Amino acid sequence: MSRNILKSSVQNASFSIVFQIFFRCISFVLNAFIIRTVGQDVLGIMNVRLLLLESTILFLSKEPLLKACLTNAKSHNWAQVVNLIWLSVPLSALLGVILVYIWINVLSPTEDIYFTQYKYGCYAIALSCIIEQATQSVVLVAQSFCFVKLKIVIETFYVLGRTLIFVTLVLNRPSYAINAFSIAQLLSAVLFSILYYGFFAWYIPELKKKGKTGQDPLFADMADFPFRNIYDFLPGVMKNQGDIIDKKLLILTTTFVKQSFIKQILTEGERYVMTISPVLTFSQQSMYDIVNNLGSLAARFIFRPIEESSYFYFTQTIHRDEPLKQQDQKSVSEASEVLNQLCKVVTSIGLVVVVFGQSYSNTLLYLYGGKKLVETTLPTTLLQFHCFAIVLLAINGVTEAYVFATMNNKQLERYNYLMVIFSITFLLISYLLTNMLGPVGFILANCVNMAARILHSLHFIHQKYLGTNHNPLNGLIPAPKFVIVLFLCGISSKYSEAHFAPKSTLLHIAFGGVLFLLTLATWAFENRALLMLGYEKYKRRVSLKSD
């Protein structure tokens, strides 16, 4: 365990970000292929129902054990840890039996033409989860001993293999797309297992030969590697002194089980509501999933980096446990101005998305999924409503980043309980609104949830700056000229959608491009001081690098 943990953690985070972007791009293109090739019902069955089954089995059987076994890995009795992590296999099998029965016999049924494929899909998902869990001992060792690049390489092959198998099978027999999905899941799980075990089957003999020299970085500093052959990764093989499993880690696992259960419900809440509620058809579920993925692209690639960077900045500038009056006033003033400008930027981006989203949602969906995706008005309506959620998401990201960065420990603990209340309320509202309004209810429930969190953040920030000369929340109020131009562009783009789009999609897009440039120019004119400041900082950075 003498590898550099900090360096490996940073590398792991960096590679994970790149991999997530890669994975999202693959999923984005694959969904478009599925819509154009096999239709919306199939996409709903695969992306919502079957993937939720996989997520539930894997998360509940893997997450608690993996978290516990990664704790203080330096002092592990690896024989006990291997025995413990292998409990994920019978646990996933037990969960698989229970959940597959529920998925097939209790939840709302699929259409008759899909039922046989759907049933085999449930069995295939459960079996693929068991295969993947049988690899967890190797995955745990790779992570504990900082094999960062190995993880990324294997997961890349895993995603590419699953995608290529699925696409190849679907192109040959489009009517058996769910079977293709099931086969791809099974084969990719086998590939995942073979690659991990295969690497260590090669690595351990090589370590015995080259590890003593210390010249090869792949084998250097690994003298304490406890595994002497590939069979040591199996339960009960390594020599063990003491109990069969580590009782402390077992107790820790039970704690993580509770957390994982809550986290899974909060993370996949929308999908559970969709799955349990019989109101939405599979086609509607797939529509919501597509729109949610399209709409969240802005959150993933624009708002999330802003949120993460601003959180880091505020943690370095403002002290959690001191009132602002007792802190360095220059830093307080700078932080206030930064928050003000961040609020202004994300609010402006969100408003632009709202205005142009009302007229270009149908065009975007047509370009993404073809005629099949826009046969009904539902996808367009969903994306138009989702644009309003994006504004709230943008504001919530920045304001919550400041709140999390400046709260003291007591306030953070209190807010954690509040987040649970927000999330449970969101699930209840989602269920009610979905039964009343269909898929749009999910988006409205999300808006209510975001609005409640924003109000809490605004109250906290207002109280934080009470008694000072700063009011960073003024940045949430857009400039009047910008609002007027947005209003005029909104009307003009609606006119273009009604008169230009039916004749020429390209002309409609070109007209929107001109309006967008006009909006951008207006914003730049009203915020020229901010742009000049940014330009000066950029010039200074370039000059420092050249020196």
Side-chain angles (χ1 to χ4, degrees):
M1 293 300 295
S2 54
R3 291 193 176 196
N4 189 321
I5 301 296
L6 177 60
K7 180 181 177 182
S8 297
S9 299
V10 172
Q11 285 181 339
N12 189 35
S14 304
F15 284 133
S16 295
I17 291 170
V18 174
F19 178 77
Q20 282 298 318
I21 294 173
F22 165 75
F23 177 72
R24 292 294 179 185
C25 291
I26 291 288
S27 300
F28 189 77
V29 175
L30 186 61
N31 285 345
F33 166 78
I34 294 171
I35 296 168
R36 293 171 181 269
T37 308
V38 297
Q40 300 165 11
D41 287 338
V42 172
L43 184 65
I45 293 171
M46 293 188 302
N47 275 17
V48 178
R49 185 68 69 85
L50 292 178
L51 286 183
L52 182 62
L53 175 62
E54 180 191 46
S55 168
T56 305
I57 295 173
L58 284 180
F59 198 88
L60 295 181
S61 61
K62 175 176 73 175
E63 186 80 2
L65 285 163
L66 193 59
K67 274 188 175 181
C69 291
L70 282 171
T71 304
N72 195 19
K74 288 183 180 180
S75 59
H76 276 342
N77 177 334
W78 278 101
Q80 294 178 340
V81 171
V82 168
N83 292 339
L84 179 61
I85 196 69
W86 268 90
L87 290 178
S88 62
V89 175
L91 185 57
S92 64
L94 177 62
L95 283 170
V97 170
I98 296 170
L99 293 176
V100 166
Y101 178 82
I102 293 172
W103 253 243
I104 294 176
N105 299 293
V106 178
L107 298 180
S108 56
T110 64
E111 294 182 26
D112 292 340
I113 57 172
Y114 300 126
F115 181 73
T116 301
Q117 292 188 61
Y118 168 71
K119 184 170 67 172
Y120 288 140
C122 291
Y123 293 138
I125 289 291
L127 182 57
S128 69
C129 289
I130 294 171
I131 295 170
E132 193 169 328
Q133 296 301 67
T135 318
Q136 284 310 301
S137 60
V138 195
V139 173
L140 171 66
V141 170
Q143 195 166 346
S144 298
F145 286 88
C146 304
F147 289 88
V148 177
K149 293 179 182 178
L150 173 69
K151 174 187 174 184
I152 300 302
V153 169
I154 289 180
E155 288 187 355
T156 301
F157 274 109
Y158 171 72
V159 172
L160 285 177
R162 185 175 63 186
T163 304
L164 290 174
I165 293 168
F166 173 75
V167 170
T168 302
L169 292 175
V170 168
L171 287 175
N172 288 327
R173 302 191 74 176
S175 59
Y176 288 88
I178 301 174
N179 281 345
F181 176 81
S182 306
I183 294 169
Q185 291 291 118
L186 270 175
L187 293 181
S188 60
V190 172
L191 175 65
F192 181 82
S193 183
I194 289 172
L195 288 174
Y196 261 112
Y197 278 107
F199 172 81
F200 281 101
W202 166 83
Y203 180 82
I204 292 173
E206 290 296 310
L207 178 62
K208 293 177 182 177
K209 296 177 187 176
K210 301 178 181 179
K212 296 178 181 179
T213 64
Q215 295 177 352
D216 192 328
L218 185 60
F219 302 96
D221 300 326
M222 294 296 284
D224 57 349
F225 193 70
F227 298 87
R228 295 293 172 256
N229 59 67
I230 195 66
Y231 300 107
D232 285 345
F233 292 104
L234 300 177
V237 174
M238 289 184 74
K239 291 182 180 179
N240 184 18
Q241 296 178 351
D243 298 326
I244 296 176
I245 58 176
D246 191 324
K247 291 182 179 178
K248 290 183 179 179
L249 290 182
L250 184 61
I251 294 170
L252 186 60
T253 300
T254 59
T255 303
F256 283 127
V257 166
K258 301 170 189 175
Q259 292 183 3
S260 298
F261 184 75
I262 295 172
K263 184 178 177 181
Q264 177 67 6
I265 291 175
L266 298 181
T267 303
E268 300 284 6
E270 293 176 352
R271 291 174 186 263
Y272 283 120
V273 173
M274 271 191 264
T275 300
I276 295 170
S277 173
V279 175
L280 298 186
T281 64
F282 285 110
S283 178
Q284 290 175 327
Q285 291 177 23
S286 70
M287 289 303 95
Y288 178 82
D289 189 64
I290 291 166
V291 168
N292 190 49
N293 285 331
L294 280 172
S296 59
L297 286 177
R300 292 190 189 110
F301 298 119
I302 300 175
F303 298 135
R304 186 169 294 173
I306 293 175
E307 179 184 340
E308 291 173 353
S309 300
S310 59
Y311 173 79
F312 177 76
Y313 168 79
F314 292 131
T315 56
Q316 307 305 305
T317 309
I318 302 295
H319 300 297
R320 293 180 183 272
D321 298 315
E322 295 180 18
L324 292 182
K325 291 182 179 179
Q326 297 177 13
Q327 300 186 35
D328 179 59
Q329 292 305 299
K330 185 178 179 182
S331 297
V332 171
S333 177
E334 183 185 280
S336 173
E337 182 60 24
V338 168
L339 179 58
N340 180 288
Q341 297 297 341
L342 284 171
C343 287
K344 185 180 296 183
V345 169
V346 297
T347 303
S348 300
I349 294 172
L351 290 175
V352 169
V353 169
V354 168
V355 169
F356 286 92
Q358 304 313 303
S359 304
Y360 286 89
S361 291
N362 187 267
T363 304
L364 176 62
L365 290 167
Y366 173 74
L367 293 174
Y368 177 65
K371 291 182 179 179
K372 285 187 178 181
L373 189 54
V374 292
E375 284 177 342
T376 66
T377 59
L378 177 61
T380 303
T381 303
L382 286 173
L383 191 54
Q384 287 172 339
F385 272 91
H386 199 80
C387 291
F388 291 98
I390 289 174
V391 181
L392 297 173
L393 189 68
I395 297 171
N396 180 68
V398 169
T399 53
E400 241 180 23
Y402 182 88
V403 168
F404 288 147
T406 59
M407 274 182 169
N408 59 39
N409 289 335
K410 288 184 180 179
Q411 290 169 330
L412 281 171
E413 287 177 9
R414 200 181 309 126
Y415 190 66
N416 286 337
Y417 289 111
L418 195 60
M419 282 293 291
V420 173
I421 294 172
F422 282 152
S423 301
I424 294 173
T425 305
F426 164 67
L427 293 178
L428 293 174
I429 295 174
S430 295
Y431 184 81
L432 292 174
L433 291 180
T434 305
N435 279 274
M436 293 167 56
L437 304 172
V440 175
F442 277 118
I443 298 173
L444 294 179
N446 203 17
C447 289
V448 172
N449 181 44
M450 287 293 158
R453 289 164 62 179
I454 289 170
L455 288 174
H456 175 272
S457 298
L458 297 185
H459 175 72
F460 176 87
I461 295 169
H462 176 73
Q463 292 296 120
K464 191 85 172 174
Y465 283 93
L466 205 61
T468 70
N469 297 324
H470 308 293
N471 191 1
L473 298 179
N474 286 339
L476 295 173
I477 304 171
K481 290 180 183 177
F482 179 67
V483 172
I484 292 170
V485 170
L486 273 179
F487 178 74
L488 294 175
C489 286
I491 295 173
S492 301
S493 58
K494 272 295 179 184
Y495 177 86
S496 174
E497 183 183 30
H499 294 85
F500 297 159
K503 299 175 184 177
S504 171
T505 302
L506 187 60
L507 179 61
H508 178 48
I509 294 172
F511 188 74
V514 173
L515 294 177
F516 176 75
L517 291 175
L518 176 63
T519 305
L520 193 63
T522 305
W523 188 90
F525 177 76
E526 291 199 321
N527 294 275
R528 54 192 180 278
L530 174 63
L531 294 176
M532 285 300 298
L533 178 63
Y535 178 68
E536 291 297 327
K537 286 186 178 265
Y538 171 76
K539 278 176 57 178
R540 196 177 305 136
R541 186 183 300 172
V542 171
S543 63
L544 287 173
K545 285 183 179 179
S546 60
D547 292 341

